[in-house]
Amino acid sequence: MTSVTTARLLIVGPQGSGKGTQGVRIAEAFGIPVVSTGDVFRANIKEGTPLGRQVKAIVDGGDLVPDELTSEIVRDRLSQDDAAHGFLLDGYPRNAQQVAHLEEFLAARGESLDAVIELVVPREESLERLRLRAEEQGRSDDTDAGIAHRLDIYERETAPILAAYGEQGIVDRIDGVGSLDEITTRIIAALEARGLERRTAA
Ligand code: ADP
């Protein structure tokens, strides 16, 4: 098994699949930063920055922030030193246009994604978890209508990007139903099978 010293990862899954939680755990195991576009937007909205004011209505409505703006934010973040040998993208790219932007950016640096983790969770299970999250966290976009709208966008725009990455042979389909630890273990096993090296012990 050849070892891969970089860990350039993308985690994809429907809303409520647990990709945010798993993303943090995987990033920690591989010693790489998480780049979550949703977190960036929410932090900016909370702080009332110009970016936050620009995107608040879009995010609250469950729509996608314009691709060019989102891609610009990701390019800036990936250009920082801590992302030189790896990163875990959560929530980006989310459609074909963003895939093209990311590929172009990485190719210019002679880089490419090492693996795409697809968390597979049935829609009913996602909906149930999101209802719970709405009660616990009160996220302003977690209304019934907002959730259904984001899941529709996921199925229409985001799920298809997996086919493109699948052709590159870099997608690991992971069963996203089970305990948090079980799912983390499944993901790490799949990445290690690709020769990616984790930083922390089991
Ligand atoms: P969820 O997966 O539950 O939709 P996220 O935190 O990934 O939550 O995203 C929350 C919102 O932030 C999205 O509904 C969208 O408005 C905005 N957003 C996040 N990532 C992107 C992206 N890559 N492109 C456009 N908008 C995005």
Side-chain angles (χ1 to χ4, degrees):
M1 184 171 72
T2 43
S3 77
V4 182
T5 51
T6 59
R8 299 192 175 98
L9 310 176
L10 161 64
I11 189 162
V12 181
Q15 287 68 18
S17 62
K19 72 183 162 60
T21 307
Q22 294 298 334
V24 169
R25 289 169 161 233
I26 298 306
E28 198 176 320
F30 287 85
I32 50 176
V34 175
V35 178
S36 160
T37 42
D39 283 353
V40 170
F41 292 137
R42 276 187 294 278
N44 277 276
I45 291 170
K46 197 167 160 218
E47 286 159 26
T49 67
L51 172 65
R53 287 200 296 275
Q54 192 179 349
V55 303
K56 183 176 186 338
I58 301 172
V59 171
D60 282 350
D63 290 312
L64 294 189
V65 172
D67 294 330
E68 194 43 69
L69 176 59
T70 308
S71 292
E72 178 72 40
I73 289 164
V74 173
R75 282 194 293 265
D76 278 356
R77 180 64 190 87
L78 295 184
S79 300
Q80 291 172 27
D81 289 347
D82 65 341
H85 299 290
F87 47 78
L88 181 137
L89 288 167
D90 167 7
Y92 178 95
R94 228 172 170 93
N95 60 25
Q97 189 61 44
Q98 294 181 7
V99 169
H101 286 162
L102 177 66
E103 296 268 293
E104 192 185 351
F105 171 77
L106 292 178
R109 307 204 308 181
E111 299 175 0
S112 60
L113 292 180
D114 295 309
V116 176
I117 303 152
E118 178 188 0
L119 268 188
V120 182
V121 175
R123 187 171 171 127
E124 265 318 303
E125 170 94 17
S126 286
L127 281 169
E128 190 50 43
R129 293 183 191 175
L130 287 164
R131 283 191 201 107
L132 217 77
R133 184 171 84 186
E135 282 169 24
E136 286 169 1
Q137 300 180 5
R139 240 174 70 170
S140 58
D141 57 347
D142 274 349
T143 58
D144 278 355
I147 289 166
H149 185 54
R150 299 207 314 284
L151 273 171
D152 286 343
I153 295 181
Y154 177 81
E155 282 161 14
R156 194 175 65 237
E157 297 196 37
T158 308
I161 74 173
L162 290 162
Y165 285 124
E167 281 173 18
Q168 297 175 29
I170 56 172
V171 177
D172 287 315
R173 296 194 88 222
I174 307 290
D175 177 4
V177 181
S179 74
L180 286 181
D181 285 347
E182 277 164 4
I183 298 164
T184 306
T185 302
R186 286 175 201 151
I187 299 171
I188 289 177
L191 296 176
E192 286 185 330
R194 289 185 177 277
L196 272 74
E197 285 176 355
R198 59 192 293 187
R199 297 283 170 85
T200 57

